[in-house]
Amino acid sequence: MERTLIADCAERIGETVKISGWVKTRRDHGKIVFIDLRDRTGVLQCVVTPDTENYEELKRIRPQWTVDFQGIIKKRPEKLINQDLKTGSMEMEVKEFKILSEAQELPIDISADELGLHLETLLDFRNLTIRNEKVGAIFKIYAEVLRSYAEYLRSQGFVEIKTPKLLSASTEGGAEFFKVKYFEREAFLAQSPQFYKQAAVGSFERVFEIGPVFRAEPHFTSRHINEFIGLDAEMGFIHDSNDVMDMLEESMKHILTDVKKNCQDSLKLYNSDVEIPEKFPRIRFSEALDILRKEFGKEIEGNDINPEGERLICQWAKKKHGSDLIFLTNYPWTIRPMYIMPDPENPRETMGFDLLYKGVEISSGGQRIHQYEQLVENMKKKNLNPEDFSSYLEIFRYGMPPHGGWGLGSERIIQKILGLKSIKEAILFPRDVRRLTP
Amino acid sequence: MERTLIADCAERIGETVKISGWVKTRRDHGKIVFIDLRDRTGVLQCVVTPDTENYEELKRIRPQWTVDFQGIIKKRPEKLINQDLKTGSMEMEVKEFKILSEAQELPIDISADELGLHLETLLDFRNLTIRNEKVGAIFKIYAEVLRSYAEYLRSQGFVEIKTPKLLSASTEGGAEFFKVKYFEREAFLAQSPQFYKQAAVGSFERVFEIGPVFRAEPHFTSRHINEFIGLDAEMGFIHDSNDVMDMLEESMKHILTDVKKNCQDSLKLYNSDVEIPEKFPRIRFSEALDILRKEFGKEIEGNDINPEGERLICQWAKKKHGSDLIFLTNYPWTIRPMYIMPDPENPRETMGFDLLYKGVEISSGGQRIHQYEQLVENMKKKNLNPEDFSSYLEIFRYGMPPHGGWGLGSERIIQKILGLKSIKEAILFPRDVRRLTP
């Protein structure tokens, strides 16, 4: 008999079907055994009675065993309907079964609605904890973010590219690169596809990439991670950084709209209501400092806005503009990389921006310098040696249009949509300073 | 004035529009200058006459400068229509222009239909060569392969996942791993997402991943590369490896059908006609050896079929079954990894398969062992120490369904569709033993 998915059982009332999945829970009521069976589409209550073939063998069944159940799909009596379950109005009367694989005693219980585990335990037993519906839901939404991002950019004429993650030099400078032994040489893991996506603009004008990004910074925060999936994009023939922000804003709206529409069940598990602002406010970095000073009495030390400042600015944006998202524009020249276009009207500022979402920076971007001479000059001003960037500079010898783009952290979007405490919860098998397993 | 894309100019005959792009070529006919301008949608002939504003400055223009042209779109006289060009029946009479960026003298000519460059030159000047239409077309098809693969698997209930590329151990064994300095420890770059996608089956049943794969083998062939993009998939609750082959076959048909339908212009540049067989033949590995012996007089030395053997088997499949693709099934136990399910009817064979396309293996897959004890036993038979795989073995302690999957090389698909001599042509910025740049 062909397998029927649990979600499709509602259309098979009164029929004998075969379902397959994992035993989520078993409850014994005298001689009757109730088994909640989980497959990728849902959970169904299955009733085993002494009439079931090989009843005694079936009684051995424990959580996480995988089985085929064959039986009749029945409507439950009105008063026994489980309103919390999509399939709560029916059950299977099991006639036959087949054990596909057994499971040892579980080290943790994964059947609860809320696992309530310490982060490290949640990650140590990742093979098991991702089987929990609420944990699994994170990755269904994640897959939707990936799909939606690519779909939107394709609709805008962007070509999907894949660029190398092994580099010959620590291109963007800094000590944040992982070193690789590459045959008899040294190589570095890409910290971003920045230089390659810019080169690709020379051919395709508009490109995007979904790929891993490696950061060797020894962070121990709830929003940093050493390997994550970047959602990058770069576009040519722009007027200025507003074109880039427009495109990023529309991409984010598209993602949030799709998640809201297509992931209702998953969102419900987190009581998450995705709000999509009509327009993301855009304020200058210097204005943000003023707001922090005037509205919150916070004086920012150093050059950049700290995490607390980002939280407060988002609080302000929500209150003032009803928006969970806000662009900070015109970042100071001192804290932006050498390839970001200085503001022609004020060289102490740049055409670089950040996008904040619910208190956290989720994207950094801006207009790039597209003229060779200006780029060399900007490198020198930043005390960088243009010779160290000769391969990158080649791109600008042969006609690059005004262009810009962004890097967007996929996991932070999920973290913020669902209100996850740590970004690590939004990654199947996260890597941090201490963790390289499982 | 807003920019008009060149592909849209056909609908603007008689109107004044602004187009933007790269100068592909300039030809002087007395005082008249013909400029072929390229944007991401096509090439348009633009005519500059002494009537054009700032005519003298415009005459400085050289290949690969980026410009805005404003002018009238006109139909060309019947006898001057360029049949080779989609936009060959029209041209722009340039009225005004703006130079966006200049280009130095080009080290190579990239305007020809056929670049005819040596592979190393093609790759050394990659920033430029990807601007050539024929080279660029490779990556438009590539993007379609990525899109189509994901679309098909999603339609079959697969969840897209992203798994770590930094591993704590060289999980699958062997010396083919790149070592990474990971803070104070050693890590390895993932050679495949094998173990992680299997773990994910425990939650989602059906998963796929599009991501980089790193192979430290010092190959110097036209079909090997040290970093490539793998199209992986894994599915649970299968009957046997035929379910996996069915899914892979349908995925490949979907990809080829989409490429044929959506990439006509790009395919034409390569005179490539994509043939989609109704059914991919499936023959056993041992049958393949017989065919090589009987039909081609080739005796295979060693255990595996060599590249010549793969070519001949594909030749046979084309002649006998009219198919460019063929599955070889039941690979010998000795040459398949420890996680591949042995054939229950013949333990010297496995439920592992390869998929060949036009003479080259593009995919390897099979049913996996899903029982803990059998996996431990199989490791021991292969002289592997189960303790080295303790993290992997954990997955199988807690109920894994019968499952299987594949790894599919995205670049080899493109190489074979277009008949590219080297796989490196199918990668934007390829990495090999000698090459880490640009």
Side-chain angles (χ1 to χ4, degrees):
Chain A
M1 187 180 277
E2 277 302 299
R3 176 188 184 192
T4 299
L5 291 171
I6 286 175
D8 297 333
C9 284
E11 291 148 30
R12 309 292 294 273
I13 306 279
E15 292 177 47
T16 297
V17 304
K18 185 178 97 175
I19 60 175
S20 307
W22 287 264
V23 173
K24 187 181 172 189
T25 55
R26 67 168 281 170
R27 298 180 306 282
D28 291 44
H29 287 263
K31 293 204 162 172
I32 298 175
V33 184
F34 292 93
I35 290 169
D36 277 353
L37 199 75
R38 171 183 73 88
D39 76 5
R40 69 176 189 268
T41 66
V43 173
L44 187 67
Q45 173 167 289
C46 303
V47 187
V48 174
T49 68
D51 292 342
T52 306
E53 227 180 87
N54 298 325
Y55 169 73
E56 287 304 323
E57 200 197 334
L58 210 162
K59 280 185 72 178
R60 290 174 48 229
I61 278 187
R62 292 287 175 279
Q64 297 306 317
W65 289 30
T66 63
V67 291
D68 287 341
F69 277 173
Q70 211 162 295
I72 303 171
I73 303 295
K74 294 195 164 175
K75 276 206 158 170
R76 293 201 212 175
E78 203 66 47
K79 60 178 181 173
L80 293 179
I81 286 176
N82 180 349
Q83 301 288 1
D84 293 340
L85 214 60
K86 259 198 150 173
T87 51
S89 64
M90 47 182 187
E91 62 188 14
M92 172 184 267
E93 204 178 280
V94 181
K95 296 295 179 195
E96 292 174 46
F97 71 92
K98 189 178 157 191
I99 293 169
L100 299 172
S101 63
E102 303 190 2
Q104 298 179 5
E105 195 78 35
L106 301 186
I108 49 169
D109 176 21
I110 54 168
S111 67
D113 292 345
E114 296 283 345
L115 285 187
L117 295 171
H118 186 277
L119 180 62
E120 295 304 315
T121 312
L122 185 78
L123 300 178
D124 284 344
F125 295 99
R126 203 58 165 164
N127 297 327
L128 281 174
T129 54
I130 55 172
R131 296 186 184 186
N132 173 272
E133 280 97 334
K134 190 166 172 178
V135 176
I138 298 170
F139 301 98
K140 290 179 183 170
I141 299 177
Y142 188 74
E144 180 64 8
V145 169
L146 297 178
R147 189 200 66 74
S148 177
Y149 179 75
E151 177 186 76
Y152 183 72
L153 289 179
R154 274 191 209 106
S155 79
Q156 300 301 307
F158 285 72
V159 174
E160 184 168 8
I161 58 170
K162 297 290 180 184
T163 68
K165 302 308 157 201
L166 287 165
L167 309 180
S168 66
S170 56
T171 28
E172 288 183 49
E176 300 121 5
F177 281 84
F178 289 114
K179 274 188 200 169
V180 181
K181 187 170 182 307
Y182 192 78
F183 300 105
E184 299 311 310
R185 279 190 281 173
E186 197 170 57
F188 298 86
L189 287 180
Q191 199 198 32
S192 88
Q194 186 61 36
F195 295 180
Y196 294 97
K197 66 181 181 171
Q198 286 187 263
V201 165
S203 174
F204 310 107
E205 289 187 28
R206 297 179 162 199
V207 294
F208 73 95
E209 177 165 9
I210 299 175
V213 167
F214 303 94
R215 299 276 165 92
E217 298 145 0
H219 280 297
F220 296 92
T221 77
S222 63
R223 56 202 201 121
H224 286 98
I225 194 81
N226 298 100
E227 179 182 350
F228 64 90
I229 298 294
L231 307 179
D232 273 87
E234 200 74 18
M235 56 195 284
F237 296 102
I238 60 172
H239 299 105
D240 58 34
S241 55
N242 277 304
D243 289 347
V244 182
M245 284 189 272
D246 288 347
M247 190 64 74
L248 175 55
E249 181 169 333
E250 291 307 316
S251 303
M252 275 305 299
K253 283 184 194 166
H254 190 82
I255 290 172
L256 295 176
T257 305
D258 279 349
V259 165
K260 194 182 174 91
K261 193 174 66 188
N262 302 328
C263 304
Q264 289 177 20
D265 293 346
S266 299
L267 290 173
K268 209 186 285 172
L269 294 175
Y270 287 84
N271 293 315
S272 170
D273 182 30
V274 181
E275 288 177 39
I276 302 134
E278 238 176 82
K279 181 85 199 129
F280 303 176
R282 295 176 192 181
I283 62 168
R284 289 167 170 266
F285 182 89
S286 56
E287 287 176 70
L289 294 187
D290 284 346
I291 291 165
L292 289 173
R293 198 178 301 120
K294 286 178 195 156
E295 308 271 329
F296 300 97
K298 295 276 169 194
E299 201 68 51
I300 292 299
E301 288 171 36
N303 285 318
D304 206 353
I305 295 175
N306 59 15
E308 192 200 0
E310 290 181 352
R311 272 195 299 276
L312 295 175
I313 286 294
C314 284
Q315 223 172 286
W316 175 86
K318 183 73 177 173
K319 205 171 147 192
K320 174 98 178 176
H321 297 280
S323 175
D324 286 330
L325 295 113
I326 180 170
F327 280 107
L328 302 190
T329 72
N330 297 75
Y331 263 69
W333 181 88
T334 49
I335 57 170
R336 287 279 128 150
M338 53 79 181
Y339 51 80
I340 295 287
M341 181 72 91
D343 185 343
E345 285 162 24
N346 176 2
R348 275 177 304 182
E349 294 185 357
T350 67
M351 306 305 267
F353 61 79
D354 270 7
L355 176 61
L356 313 187
Y357 180 32
K358 292 187 180 178
V360 163
E361 177 239 306
I362 57 166
S363 178
S364 217
Q367 182 172 355
R368 326 300 187 185
I369 298 173
H370 62 279
Q371 308 265 20
Y372 181 87
E373 291 76 16
Q374 190 183 3
L375 188 53
V376 169
E377 189 196 347
N378 207 43
M379 284 176 179
K380 285 181 184 164
K381 275 192 196 150
K382 287 200 176 271
N383 291 317
L384 296 167
N385 185 352
E387 280 171 30
D388 294 343
F389 300 90
S390 56
S391 178
Y392 176 54
L393 279 167
E394 274 301 298
I395 304 169
F396 303 91
R397 286 184 192 271
Y398 306 113
M400 279 295 284
H403 66 285
W406 66 77
L408 176 62
S410 61
E411 296 88 353
R412 283 192 182 174
I413 300 175
I414 303 290
Q415 185 189 5
K416 288 294 142 183
I417 287 177
L418 297 180
L420 304 176
K421 275 195 201 130
S422 169
I423 193 167
K424 292 168 197 169
E425 292 181 61
I427 301 177
L428 264 183
F429 298 97
R431 298 302 184 230
D432 63 27
V433 179
R434 294 199 201 94
R435 180 179 293 282
L436 272 170
T437 53
Chain B
M1 187 179 276
E2 277 302 297
R3 176 188 183 193
T4 299
L5 293 171
I6 285 175
D8 298 332
C9 284
E11 292 148 27
R12 309 292 294 272
I13 306 279
E15 292 177 46
T16 296
V17 303
K18 185 178 97 175
I19 60 175
S20 306
W22 289 264
V23 173
K24 187 182 170 188
T25 55
R26 69 167 280 171
R27 299 180 306 282
D28 291 45
H29 286 263
K31 294 205 159 171
I32 298 175
V33 184
F34 293 93
I35 290 169
D36 277 353
L37 198 74
R38 171 183 73 87
D39 76 5
R40 69 176 190 268
T41 66
V43 173
L44 186 67
Q45 174 167 289
C46 302
V47 187
V48 175
T49 69
D51 292 342
T52 306
E53 227 180 88
N54 297 323
Y55 169 73
E56 288 305 324
E57 199 197 336
L58 211 161
K59 278 186 75 179
R60 291 174 48 230
I61 278 188
R62 293 288 176 278
Q64 298 305 317
W65 289 30
T66 62
V67 291
D68 288 340
F69 276 173
Q70 212 162 294
I72 303 171
I73 303 296
K74 295 197 163 174
K75 274 205 159 171
R76 294 201 212 174
E78 203 66 48
K79 59 178 183 175
L80 292 179
I81 287 176
N82 180 349
Q83 301 288 0
D84 294 341
L85 213 59
K86 259 197 148 174
T87 51
S89 64
M90 47 183 188
E91 60 188 18
M92 172 183 267
E93 204 177 281
V94 181
K95 295 295 178 196
E96 292 174 44
F97 71 93
K98 188 178 158 191
I99 293 169
L100 299 172
S101 63
E102 304 190 3
Q104 298 179 5
E105 194 78 36
L106 300 185
I108 50 168
D109 176 21
I110 54 167
S111 67
D113 291 345
E114 295 283 344
L115 286 188
L117 294 172
H118 185 278
L119 180 62
E120 294 305 314
T121 312
L122 185 78
L123 300 178
D124 283 344
F125 295 99
R126 202 56 164 168
N127 297 328
L128 280 174
T129 55
I130 55 172
R131 296 187 184 186
N132 172 272
E133 281 97 334
K134 190 166 173 178
V135 175
I138 298 171
F139 301 98
K140 291 179 183 170
I141 299 177
Y142 188 74
E144 179 64 7
V145 169
L146 297 178
R147 190 200 65 76
S148 177
Y149 179 75
E151 176 186 74
Y152 183 72
L153 289 179
R154 274 191 209 106
S155 78
Q156 300 301 307
F158 285 72
V159 174
E160 183 166 10
I161 58 169
K162 297 289 180 184
T163 68
K165 303 308 158 203
L166 287 165
L167 310 179
S168 66
S170 55
T171 27
E172 290 184 46
E176 301 120 5
F177 280 84
F178 289 114
K179 275 186 200 169
V180 181
K181 186 169 181 310
Y182 192 78
F183 301 105
E184 299 310 311
R185 279 190 283 172
E186 197 171 56
F188 299 86
L189 288 180
Q191 197 198 33
S192 89
Q194 186 62 36
F195 295 179
Y196 295 97
K197 66 181 180 169
Q198 286 186 260
V201 164
S203 174
F204 311 105
E205 289 187 28
R206 297 180 162 198
V207 294
F208 73 96
E209 178 165 10
I210 299 175
V213 167
F214 304 94
R215 299 276 164 93
E217 298 145 358
H219 280 298
F220 295 92
T221 77
S222 63
R223 57 204 198 117
H224 286 99
I225 194 81
N226 298 101
E227 179 181 350
F228 64 90
I229 299 294
L231 307 177
D232 273 88
E234 201 73 18
M235 57 195 282
F237 296 102
I238 59 171
H239 299 105
D240 57 35
S241 55
N242 278 304
D243 289 347
V244 183
M245 284 188 273
D246 288 348
M247 191 64 75
L248 175 54
E249 181 169 332
E250 291 307 314
S251 302
M252 275 306 299
K253 282 183 194 167
H254 190 83
I255 290 172
L256 295 176
T257 304
D258 279 349
V259 166
K260 194 182 174 93
K261 193 174 67 190
N262 302 329
C263 303
Q264 289 177 18
D265 293 347
S266 298
L267 290 173
K268 209 187 283 172
L269 294 175
Y270 287 84
N271 293 314
S272 170
D273 182 30
V274 180
E275 288 177 38
I276 301 134
E278 238 176 83
K279 181 85 198 130
F280 302 176
R282 294 177 192 182
I283 62 169
R284 288 166 169 267
F285 182 90
S286 55
E287 286 176 69
L289 294 186
D290 285 348
I291 290 163
L292 288 173
R293 200 178 299 121
K294 287 179 191 156
E295 308 268 330
F296 300 98
K298 295 278 171 194
E299 200 68 50
I300 292 298
E301 287 170 37
N303 284 318
D304 207 351
I305 295 175
N306 59 17
E308 191 200 0
E310 289 181 351
R311 273 195 298 277
L312 296 174
I313 286 294
C314 284
Q315 221 172 287
W316 175 86
K318 185 72 175 172
K319 206 169 146 191
K320 174 97 177 177
H321 297 278
S323 175
D324 284 332
L325 295 114
I326 180 170
F327 280 108
L328 302 190
T329 72
N330 295 76
Y331 262 69
W333 181 87
T334 50
I335 56 171
R336 287 280 127 151
M338 53 78 180
Y339 50 79
I340 295 287
M341 180 72 91
D343 186 342
E345 285 163 22
N346 175 1
R348 276 177 305 182
E349 294 185 356
T350 66
M351 307 304 268
F353 61 79
D354 269 7
L355 176 61
L356 313 186
Y357 180 32
K358 293 186 179 178
V360 162
E361 178 238 306
I362 58 166
S363 178
S364 216
Q367 182 173 355
R368 325 301 187 185
I369 297 173
H370 62 280
Q371 307 265 21
Y372 181 86
E373 291 77 15
Q374 189 183 4
L375 188 53
V376 169
E377 190 196 347
N378 207 44
M379 284 176 179
K380 286 182 182 163
K381 276 192 194 150
K382 287 202 176 269
N383 291 319
L384 296 167
N385 185 352
E387 281 171 29
D388 293 343
F389 299 91
S390 56
S391 179
Y392 176 54
L393 279 167
E394 274 300 297
I395 303 169
F396 302 93
R397 285 184 194 271
Y398 305 114
M400 279 295 284
H403 65 284
W406 66 77
L408 175 62
S410 62
E411 296 87 351
R412 283 193 181 172
I413 300 175
I414 303 291
Q415 186 189 3
K416 288 293 143 183
I417 287 177
L418 297 179
L420 304 176
K421 275 195 200 131
S422 169
I423 192 166
K424 292 167 198 170
E425 292 180 61
I427 301 177
L428 265 182
F429 298 98
R431 297 305 185 226
D432 63 27
V433 178
R434 294 198 201 91
R435 181 179 292 281
L436 272 170
T437 52

